[in-house]
Amino acid sequence: MEGKNTNFLRSALKAKEVGILLILVLLSVLIQLKNPIFFTFSNLMDMGRNTSYTLIIAIGMTFVLIAKGLDLSVGSLLAICGLISALGMQGGIPVVLSVLLGLLAGAAFGTFNALCIVKLKIPAMIATLGTMYMARGLVLVITKGQAVYPLPDSFTAFGKGSLLGIPNVVLLAVALAAIAHIVLTKTTYGRKVYAIGGNAETAGFAGINVAKITASVYVISGVMAALSGIMTAARMGSGQPSVGDGTEMTVITAVIIGGTSLNGGAGTMLGTILGALLMNVLSSGMNLVGVSAYWQKFVMGLIIIVAVGLDQYQRGKRRS
Amino acid sequence: MEKILELKNVSKSFGKVSVFRNIDLELYRGEILALVGENGAGKSTMMNLLGGVYPCGQYEGDIFVKGNVCRFRDANDSKTAGIEMIHQEISLHTELTVAENVLLGNWKESRGLIHWKNTYEEAEKYLKKVKLDVEPKTMAYNLSTSQQQLLSIAKALATNPQIVLFDEPTSALTETDADNLIGIIKDLSKNGISCIYISHKLEEVFALADRIAVLRDGNLISTYAKEKVNVDRIIEDMVGRKLEEMYPKRKLPIGEEALRVEGITIPHPYVKNKNLVEDVSFSVSKGEILGFSGLVGSGRSETMNAIFGSLKKSAGVVRLEGNPVQIRSAKEAIGMGIGMVTEDRKKTGIIAPMNLRENMTIASLDMVSSGAFINKKKEKSISGEFYEKLSVKANGIEDNIMNLSGGNQQKIVLSKWLMKDIKVLILDEPTRGVDVGAKVEIYNIITELAEKGIAVIMVSSELPELLGMCDRIIVLSRGRVTGNIGRDDFSQECIMRAATGVETWGI
């Protein structure tokens, strides 16, 4: 029994996520020393809530990056799908159906991305960049720059609500991350996602339908972006046209800090969770410590370089 | 003779794993020294050490060039000392012209701009040295594999090296092209350039080398003058045991027809009204090993890809056990019991970020899962079984595939199909880049498959391998079948005559 425990400890220490976990802990301790508000329940829940909106999209992005793809459209999809749900509710469609409508829209945009990439062979970066502008444009056309509100109370109540003190959105994000972890590590589908990201040609020769799996990750990404958009609308009580601007970069950063490789074939959900957390602890921590907003972007950039640099260094060491 | 390069007591290890120990080796001016040994013996690492890939401080011992001790910090230091490397994997800038590649980074300039005329003229000089007859303005991607290999050599010569290291330069070439390359290397040595030549092909080594050094498990076992040694002795030194029989061919009763191909035609992807493969027909029976020979561009791999559904054919029928079948994708081919080991292991055989277990089961996920979920226990036991059975040399099934030598990687690729219940196995260059020891192991596996009644199609550029292993050989020349030769009529000559299109045989 003891042997098993030490084995577990040893493999846990060897895990790739240890580095980023250490940074996260260290950072938290530093912030706490400067400002004891950090480790209060309400602040932690606040950070958890903020992290969750990023994390939900990052779950989809992890699938995309593992499959050696890229999805720049998530920020715009967040906006348009949240908006579609909000418009549905204003138009008298029941809340649950409106939410479904928003998710469906996410799936439809994801499918559009997938078709451009798989059928038209447009590089993922270009295809999703196009979708990003088109979706953002549609948002502005529909709203003419105006927010859509008010939204039904039952909807906003869910967005702002909590269970046993834990915000609903946190519970949702954690549950989805857990499911995504299981899908990636335990199912044949997950294995195929890693395989096409690791080497699409080999995967094809092994009988994997590369086009189908590639398409699927963009649909997942679209739905996740939609869900995050709907939860954002529920929290704000309105559909905002400018919401999610630049979110794609935050999300991609979180996933990459979490150890997922842009070269495809590698990455974990645990890493993505830690990456999303780190991004958030950092920004809220800097506020708590009183770092000027001007410096915050700089520090964020520095952290990306340090985190990915450390990861590369570790990989190099493991290889030799 | 002048000693141009000397290694004194050189050892190299990666962490705890020692690659080679206490190597003493000399190279004289104008000499061709062949370095042979199984994969993992340490040859490539030694080349990389000389090439500055592993800088000074990462190894023990001393390297002397013309009597001066050298401490290379990187590949540039090594180039400055007059050492050039020709890698096994051709690495050119295919989006640049031939001339730009030859003089990469040293283009002729005038007033800060590239002087193209001088650049082309200068490049032509080196192209002539390697007998590469192409326009310097040609884009490198238009060159065939062999031409690209010659181009790499021209590029190396452009720095006026004194020592050129060749790491299996012919592994991607056909025999004719390889012969041409050997002639060129001989010319280099006549001009006073010293060469170290790594190869698995012993005929090549004997045709080329002045001296032969054998490495085994990181030790320098022996060094011979070529005249004083024979192939058997070298192989014995390499594997450390008597090599009874290279080809474990067993005469087997040949069963019913497994696969029949009728009139396959594959159009050229870019040129209209031109076919890569035209009207190719053949059949292979259960328990038979059918060889496929032909020069580069003869359409061997294309034919196999068309059968496997990964290349579109414009005409032709495939029959499996007598029934016509439609195969439009690799997935469908696999579903019908056809497996294929592809020509390019790195590109289409392995998945680099995955471990051995994941690589082995990637075509058999259905077999190791219940519903959508992978059954880890089952996966481990099946991959473990084949890992043991093929005596793969690695740190267990969780090891990353990139840590393995070529031969061991190939065993993993083979096991992908061995664990499936297949009727036909297509092997495209199954022993490319594989050392002698592992080759024999792979031949044994192939023989075993035939004994089990699997129809094996073996495409190979190495004639001895086809002659040693096959029951029948189909020869292709420029997309057409020019030979169908039974084992009793096998000879290198008749195959080469058919392959070059001089005459047809048996059709």
Tab-separated table of all heavy atoms in Angstrom, chain B residues 69-114:
chain	number	residue	atom	x	y	z
B	69	VAL	N	43.721	20.059	-31.470
B	69	VAL	CA	42.533	19.649	-30.730
B	69	VAL	C	41.402	20.634	-31.031
B	69	VAL	O	41.617	21.842	-31.129
B	69	VAL	CB	42.821	19.550	-29.216
B	69	VAL	CG1	43.150	20.901	-28.636
B	69	VAL	CG2	41.660	18.900	-28.488
B	70	CYS	N	40.183	20.080	-31.254
B	70	CYS	CA	39.051	20.916	-31.625
B	70	CYS	C	37.983	20.869	-30.551
B	70	CYS	O	37.687	19.815	-30.007
B	70	CYS	CB	38.443	20.428	-32.941
B	70	CYS	SG	39.424	20.871	-34.347
B	71	ARG	N	37.455	22.020	-30.243
B	71	ARG	CA	36.334	22.063	-29.299
B	71	ARG	C	35.177	22.770	-29.986
B	71	ARG	O	35.043	23.974	-29.905
B	71	ARG	CB	36.738	22.814	-28.034
B	71	ARG	CG	37.861	22.134	-27.294
B	71	ARG	CD	37.942	22.542	-25.833
B	71	ARG	NE	38.884	21.671	-25.158
B	71	ARG	CZ	40.215	21.821	-25.218
B	71	ARG	NH1	40.725	22.818	-25.889
B	71	ARG	NH2	40.995	20.977	-24.591
B	72	PHE	N	34.346	21.983	-30.686
B	72	PHE	CA	33.223	22.568	-31.426
B	72	PHE	C	32.136	23.011	-30.464
B	72	PHE	O	31.717	22.247	-29.608
B	72	PHE	CB	32.634	21.561	-32.404
B	72	PHE	CG	33.636	21.023	-33.389
B	72	PHE	CD1	33.639	19.684	-33.730
B	72	PHE	CD2	34.576	21.868	-33.966
B	72	PHE	CE1	34.550	19.191	-34.633
B	72	PHE	CE2	35.497	21.378	-34.873
B	72	PHE	CZ	35.492	20.030	-35.202
B	73	ARG	N	31.682	24.251	-30.629
B	73	ARG	CA	30.548	24.705	-29.827
B	73	ARG	C	29.232	24.452	-30.554
B	73	ARG	O	28.203	24.293	-29.958
B	73	ARG	CB	30.680	26.193	-29.508
B	73	ARG	CG	31.703	26.494	-28.432
B	73	ARG	CD	32.119	27.933	-28.511
B	73	ARG	NE	32.609	28.247	-29.857
B	73	ARG	CZ	32.999	29.452	-30.231
B	73	ARG	NH1	32.930	30.469	-29.400
B	73	ARG	NH2	33.439	29.665	-31.477
B	74	ASP	N	29.294	24.449	-31.870
B	74	ASP	CA	28.082	24.186	-32.647
B	74	ASP	C	28.473	23.722	-34.048
B	74	ASP	O	29.657	23.576	-34.358
B	74	ASP	CB	27.209	25.442	-32.718
B	74	ASP	CG	27.978	26.643	-33.238
B	74	ASP	OD1	28.957	26.446	-33.982
B	74	ASP	OD2	27.592	27.768	-32.901
B	75	ALA	N	27.476	23.521	-34.892
B	75	ALA	CA	27.708	22.989	-36.231
B	75	ALA	C	28.590	23.938	-37.050
B	75	ALA	O	29.364	23.492	-37.882
B	75	ALA	CB	26.374	22.751	-36.934
B	76	ASN	N	28.480	25.223	-36.778
B	76	ASN	CA	29.286	26.172	-37.538
B	76	ASN	C	30.774	25.999	-37.283
B	76	ASN	O	31.585	26.101	-38.195
B	76	ASN	CB	28.876	27.606	-37.189
B	76	ASN	CG	27.778	28.083	-38.107
B	76	ASN	OD1	27.713	27.647	-39.253
B	76	ASN	ND2	26.920	28.939	-37.599
B	77	ASP	N	31.140	25.757	-36.009
B	77	ASP	CA	32.538	25.525	-35.669
B	77	ASP	C	33.073	24.331	-36.442
B	77	ASP	O	34.196	24.340	-36.936
B	77	ASP	CB	32.674	25.253	-34.162
B	77	ASP	CG	32.662	26.551	-33.374
B	77	ASP	OD1	32.530	27.618	-34.010
B	77	ASP	OD2	32.784	26.495	-32.142
B	78	SER	N	32.240	23.320	-36.532
B	78	SER	CA	32.654	22.111	-37.222
B	78	SER	C	32.849	22.384	-38.716
B	78	SER	O	33.813	21.921	-39.322
B	78	SER	CB	31.614	21.028	-36.976
B	78	SER	OG	31.715	20.027	-37.927
B	79	LYS	N	31.955	23.176	-39.288
B	79	LYS	CA	32.087	23.548	-40.706
B	79	LYS	C	33.369	24.338	-40.926
B	79	LYS	O	34.080	24.142	-41.905
B	79	LYS	CB	30.892	24.395	-41.142
B	79	LYS	CG	29.650	23.580	-41.489
B	79	LYS	CD	28.551	24.536	-41.952
B	79	LYS	CE	27.161	23.949	-41.836
B	79	LYS	NZ	26.827	22.968	-42.840
B	80	THR	N	33.639	25.255	-39.997
B	80	THR	CA	34.845	26.069	-40.116
B	80	THR	C	36.093	25.191	-40.110
B	80	THR	O	37.071	25.471	-40.801
B	80	THR	CB	34.917	27.077	-38.946
B	80	THR	OG1	33.640	27.693	-38.829
B	80	THR	CG2	35.970	28.121	-39.187
B	81	ALA	N	36.047	24.108	-39.329
B	81	ALA	CA	37.181	23.196	-39.270
B	81	ALA	C	37.261	22.325	-40.519
B	81	ALA	O	38.160	21.509	-40.649
B	81	ALA	CB	37.088	22.332	-38.019
B	82	GLY	N	36.277	22.465	-41.430
B	82	GLY	CA	36.335	21.733	-42.691
B	82	GLY	C	35.551	20.440	-42.693
B	82	GLY	O	35.776	19.562	-43.502
B	83	ILE	N	34.604	20.319	-41.772
B	83	ILE	CA	33.798	19.088	-41.720
B	83	ILE	C	32.384	19.387	-42.219
B	83	ILE	O	31.755	20.339	-41.769
B	83	ILE	CB	33.729	18.530	-40.280
B	83	ILE	CG1	35.148	18.259	-39.765
B	83	ILE	CG2	32.882	17.269	-40.238
B	83	ILE	CD1	35.196	17.744	-38.356
B	84	GLU	N	31.901	18.594	-43.158
B	84	GLU	CA	30.533	18.739	-43.648
B	84	GLU	C	29.787	17.427	-43.436
B	84	GLU	O	30.378	16.356	-43.492
B	84	GLU	CB	30.540	19.078	-45.146
B	84	GLU	CG	30.691	20.558	-45.430
B	84	GLU	CD	29.459	21.372	-45.074
B	84	GLU	OE1	28.356	20.806	-44.986
B	84	GLU	OE2	29.614	22.602	-44.892
B	85	MET	N	28.491	17.520	-43.206
B	85	MET	CA	27.684	16.324	-42.986
B	85	MET	C	26.611	16.175	-44.046
B	85	MET	O	25.970	17.148	-44.403
B	85	MET	CB	26.985	16.424	-41.629
B	85	MET	CG	27.679	15.688	-40.527
B	85	MET	SD	26.745	15.881	-39.012
B	85	MET	CE	25.812	14.376	-39.054
B	86	ILE	N	26.435	14.959	-44.550
B	86	ILE	CA	25.311	14.664	-45.430
B	86	ILE	C	24.391	13.740	-44.645
B	86	ILE	O	24.776	12.631	-44.290
B	86	ILE	CB	25.764	13.929	-46.704
B	86	ILE	CG1	26.882	14.700	-47.392
B	86	ILE	CG2	24.586	13.691	-47.638
B	86	ILE	CD1	26.463	15.958	-48.072
B	87	HIS	N	23.198	14.228	-44.371
B	87	HIS	CA	22.320	13.455	-43.502
B	87	HIS	C	21.531	12.416	-44.274
B	87	HIS	O	21.321	12.528	-45.469
B	87	HIS	CB	21.349	14.380	-42.767
B	87	HIS	CG	22.025	15.271	-41.791
B	87	HIS	ND1	22.274	14.881	-40.510
B	87	HIS	CD2	22.523	16.517	-41.923
B	87	HIS	CE1	22.899	15.855	-39.880
B	87	HIS	NE2	23.060	16.870	-40.710
B	88	GLN	N	21.053	11.445	-43.524
B	88	GLN	CA	20.198	10.393	-44.066
B	88	GLN	C	18.908	10.987	-44.602
B	88	GLN	O	18.474	10.681	-45.701
B	88	GLN	CB	19.909	9.421	-42.922
B	88	GLN	CG	19.010	8.296	-43.269
B	88	GLN	CD	18.877	7.359	-42.078
B	88	GLN	OE1	19.341	7.663	-40.975
B	88	GLN	NE2	18.261	6.234	-42.279
B	89	GLU	N	18.308	11.851	-43.805
B	89	GLU	CA	17.102	12.527	-44.245
B	89	GLU	C	17.548	13.780	-44.984
B	89	GLU	O	18.251	14.612	-44.434
B	89	GLU	CB	16.244	12.958	-43.048
B	89	GLU	CG	16.106	11.910	-41.978
B	89	GLU	CD	15.019	10.923	-42.319
B	89	GLU	OE1	14.176	11.267	-43.160
B	89	GLU	OE2	15.024	9.819	-41.755
B	90	ILE	N	17.130	13.892	-46.225
B	90	ILE	CA	17.549	15.035	-47.014
B	90	ILE	C	16.871	16.284	-46.468
B	90	ILE	O	15.653	16.317	-46.298
B	90	ILE	CB	17.165	14.830	-48.487
B	90	ILE	CG1	17.848	13.577	-48.997
B	90	ILE	CG2	17.519	16.040	-49.317
B	90	ILE	CD1	17.322	13.095	-50.322
B	91	SER	N	17.655	17.299	-46.152
B	91	SER	CA	17.029	18.522	-45.665
B	91	SER	C	17.460	19.678	-46.547
B	91	SER	O	18.542	20.207	-46.415
B	91	SER	CB	17.404	18.779	-44.206
B	91	SER	OG	18.769	19.007	-44.093
B	92	LEU	N	16.607	20.001	-47.488
B	92	LEU	CA	16.874	21.099	-48.397
B	92	LEU	C	15.778	22.131	-48.254
B	92	LEU	O	14.726	21.862	-47.694
B	92	LEU	CB	16.884	20.588	-49.842
B	92	LEU	CG	18.066	19.708	-50.246
B	92	LEU	CD1	17.788	19.080	-51.584
B	92	LEU	CD2	19.347	20.508	-50.297
B	93	HIS	N	16.038	23.316	-48.778
B	93	HIS	CA	14.980	24.308	-48.839
B	93	HIS	C	14.286	24.118	-50.173
B	93	HIS	O	14.710	24.672	-51.185
B	93	HIS	CB	15.566	25.703	-48.691
B	93	HIS	CG	16.199	25.908	-47.368
B	93	HIS	ND1	15.582	26.603	-46.353
B	93	HIS	CD2	17.353	25.456	-46.860
B	93	HIS	CE1	16.357	26.590	-45.289
B	93	HIS	NE2	17.442	25.887	-45.566
B	94	THR	N	13.223	23.335	-50.179
B	94	THR	CA	12.639	22.934	-51.446
B	94	THR	C	11.932	24.082	-52.142
B	94	THR	O	11.654	23.997	-53.319
B	94	THR	CB	11.640	21.775	-51.250
B	94	THR	OG1	10.763	22.122	-50.185
B	94	THR	CG2	12.350	20.490	-50.924
B	95	GLU	N	11.652	25.157	-51.422
B	95	GLU	CA	10.984	26.297	-52.043
B	95	GLU	C	12.002	27.280	-52.641
B	95	GLU	O	11.635	28.345	-53.110
B	95	GLU	CB	10.092	27.031	-51.044
B	95	GLU	CG	8.927	26.207	-50.505
B	95	GLU	CD	7.851	25.962	-51.548
B	95	GLU	OE1	7.695	26.814	-52.431
B	95	GLU	OE2	7.197	24.903	-51.491
B	96	LEU	N	13.279	26.926	-52.582
B	96	LEU	CA	14.303	27.764	-53.194
B	96	LEU	C	14.833	27.073	-54.450
B	96	LEU	O	14.571	25.889	-54.671
B	96	LEU	CB	15.458	27.991	-52.215
B	96	LEU	CG	15.140	28.782	-50.942
B	96	LEU	CD1	16.389	28.926	-50.100
B	96	LEU	CD2	14.566	30.145	-51.256
B	97	THR	N	15.608	27.793	-55.231
B	97	THR	CA	16.174	27.188	-56.432
B	97	THR	C	17.370	26.324	-56.058
B	97	THR	O	17.882	26.380	-54.941
B	97	THR	CB	16.664	28.256	-57.425
B	97	THR	OG1	17.711	28.983	-56.782
B	97	THR	CG2	15.567	29.213	-57.828
B	98	VAL	N	17.780	25.527	-57.046
B	98	VAL	CA	18.948	24.673	-56.868
B	98	VAL	C	20.171	25.511	-56.489
B	98	VAL	O	20.887	25.202	-55.537
B	98	VAL	CB	19.201	23.879	-58.167
B	98	VAL	CG1	20.570	23.239	-58.152
B	98	VAL	CG2	18.116	22.834	-58.352
B	99	ALA	N	20.379	26.608	-57.214
B	99	ALA	CA	21.551	27.435	-56.954
B	99	ALA	C	21.513	28.032	-55.558
B	99	ALA	O	22.516	28.051	-54.845
B	99	ALA	CB	21.646	28.551	-58.000
B	100	GLU	N	20.345	28.512	-55.143
B	100	GLU	CA	20.235	29.094	-53.812
B	100	GLU	C	20.562	28.062	-52.745
B	100	GLU	O	21.171	28.358	-51.722
B	100	GLU	CB	18.819	29.633	-53.589
B	100	GLU	CG	18.555	30.936	-54.309
B	100	GLU	CD	17.096	31.333	-54.233
B	100	GLU	OE1	16.258	30.647	-54.846
B	100	GLU	OE2	16.797	32.298	-53.543
B	101	ASN	N	20.144	26.814	-52.982
B	101	ASN	CA	20.438	25.756	-52.030
B	101	ASN	C	21.936	25.471	-51.961
B	101	ASN	O	22.485	25.312	-50.876
B	101	ASN	CB	19.695	24.479	-52.416
B	101	ASN	CG	18.339	24.390	-51.747
B	101	ASN	OD1	18.254	24.233	-50.539
B	101	ASN	ND2	17.282	24.518	-52.527
B	102	VAL	N	22.556	25.400	-53.127
B	102	VAL	CA	23.980	25.056	-53.152
B	102	VAL	C	24.786	26.076	-52.350
B	102	VAL	O	25.638	25.738	-51.542
B	102	VAL	CB	24.503	25.008	-54.610
B	102	VAL	CG1	26.018	24.871	-54.616
B	102	VAL	CG2	23.872	23.849	-55.354
B	103	LEU	N	24.493	27.332	-52.568
B	103	LEU	CA	25.303	28.387	-51.949
B	103	LEU	C	24.581	29.014	-50.759
B	103	LEU	O	24.802	30.177	-50.427
B	103	LEU	CB	25.618	29.462	-52.987
B	103	LEU	CG	26.403	28.961	-54.197
B	103	LEU	CD1	26.522	30.054	-55.228
B	103	LEU	CD2	27.782	28.485	-53.778
B	104	LEU	N	23.733	28.234	-50.124
B	104	LEU	CA	22.873	28.763	-49.066
B	104	LEU	C	23.634	29.689	-48.115
B	104	LEU	O	24.574	29.279	-47.455
B	104	LEU	CB	22.254	27.603	-48.286
B	104	LEU	CG	21.054	27.986	-47.445
B	104	LEU	CD1	19.868	28.317	-48.341
B	104	LEU	CD2	20.680	26.856	-46.510
B	105	GLY	N	23.215	30.919	-48.052
B	105	GLY	CA	23.827	31.869	-47.134
B	105	GLY	C	25.092	32.498	-47.671
B	105	GLY	O	25.574	33.491	-47.153
B	106	ASN	N	25.679	31.930	-48.728
B	106	ASN	CA	26.916	32.479	-49.291
B	106	ASN	C	26.707	32.920	-50.730
B	106	ASN	O	27.571	32.734	-51.577
B	106	ASN	CB	28.027	31.436	-49.237
B	106	ASN	CG	28.362	31.088	-47.815
B	106	ASN	OD1	28.574	31.967	-46.987
B	106	ASN	ND2	28.360	29.806	-47.516
B	107	TRP	N	25.523	33.450	-51.012
B	107	TRP	CA	25.239	33.878	-52.366
B	107	TRP	C	26.188	34.997	-52.773
B	107	TRP	O	26.604	35.797	-51.953
B	107	TRP	CB	23.781	34.341	-52.468
B	107	TRP	CG	22.849	33.295	-52.017
B	107	TRP	CD1	22.703	32.055	-52.556
B	107	TRP	CD2	21.943	33.360	-50.908
B	107	TRP	NE1	21.769	31.343	-51.841
B	107	TRP	CE2	21.283	32.121	-50.840
B	107	TRP	CE3	21.624	34.336	-49.976
B	107	TRP	CZ2	20.327	31.825	-49.868
B	107	TRP	CZ3	20.672	34.054	-49.019
B	107	TRP	CH2	20.040	32.806	-48.973
B	108	LYS	N	26.501	35.033	-54.070
B	108	LYS	CA	27.384	36.081	-54.573
B	108	LYS	C	26.664	37.414	-54.483
B	108	LYS	O	25.532	37.559	-54.950
B	108	LYS	CB	27.747	35.779	-56.032
B	108	LYS	CG	28.542	34.504	-56.195
B	108	LYS	CD	29.955	34.688	-55.695
B	108	LYS	CE	30.537	33.331	-55.298
B	108	LYS	NZ	31.767	33.461	-54.520
B	109	GLU	N	27.342	38.374	-53.898
B	109	GLU	CA	26.685	39.662	-53.714
B	109	GLU	C	27.419	40.752	-54.475
B	109	GLU	O	28.597	40.637	-54.791
B	109	GLU	CB	26.672	40.043	-52.229
B	109	GLU	CG	25.783	39.146	-51.400
B	109	GLU	CD	25.759	39.570	-49.952
B	109	GLU	OE1	26.211	40.685	-49.634
B	109	GLU	OE2	25.281	38.764	-49.131
B	110	SER	N	26.666	41.766	-54.810
B	110	SER	CA	27.321	42.997	-55.217
B	110	SER	C	26.497	44.143	-54.669
B	110	SER	O	25.280	44.186	-54.837
B	110	SER	CB	27.440	43.076	-56.738
B	110	SER	OG	26.207	43.366	-57.318
B	111	ARG	N	27.126	44.989	-53.970
B	111	ARG	CA	26.489	46.152	-53.317
B	111	ARG	C	25.276	45.744	-52.482
B	111	ARG	O	24.212	46.334	-52.568
B	111	ARG	CB	26.086	47.192	-54.353
B	111	ARG	CG	27.298	47.934	-54.920
B	111	ARG	CD	26.850	49.043	-55.853
B	111	ARG	NE	27.567	48.967	-57.103
B	111	ARG	CZ	26.990	48.684	-58.267
B	111	ARG	NH1	25.703	48.461	-58.343
B	111	ARG	NH2	27.714	48.640	-59.359
B	112	GLY	N	25.419	44.679	-51.710
B	112	GLY	CA	24.355	44.304	-50.790
B	112	GLY	C	23.216	43.535	-51.425
B	112	GLY	O	22.321	43.057	-50.750
B	113	LEU	N	23.236	43.423	-52.755
B	113	LEU	CA	22.193	42.640	-53.420
B	113	LEU	C	22.795	41.344	-53.941
B	113	LEU	O	24.004	41.263	-54.182
B	113	LEU	CB	21.607	43.436	-54.593
B	113	LEU	CG	20.921	44.741	-54.220
B	113	LEU	CD1	20.519	45.483	-55.485
B	113	LEU	CD2	19.699	44.485	-53.356
B	114	ILE	N	21.943	40.353	-54.122
B	114	ILE	CA	22.449	39.099	-54.650
B	114	ILE	C	22.741	39.259	-56.137
B	114	ILE	O	21.909	39.751	-56.891
B	114	ILE	CB	21.433	37.964	-54.439
B	114	ILE	CG1	21.222	37.740	-52.938
B	114	ILE	CG2	21.905	36.676	-55.099
B	114	ILE	CD1	20.209	36.681	-52.614
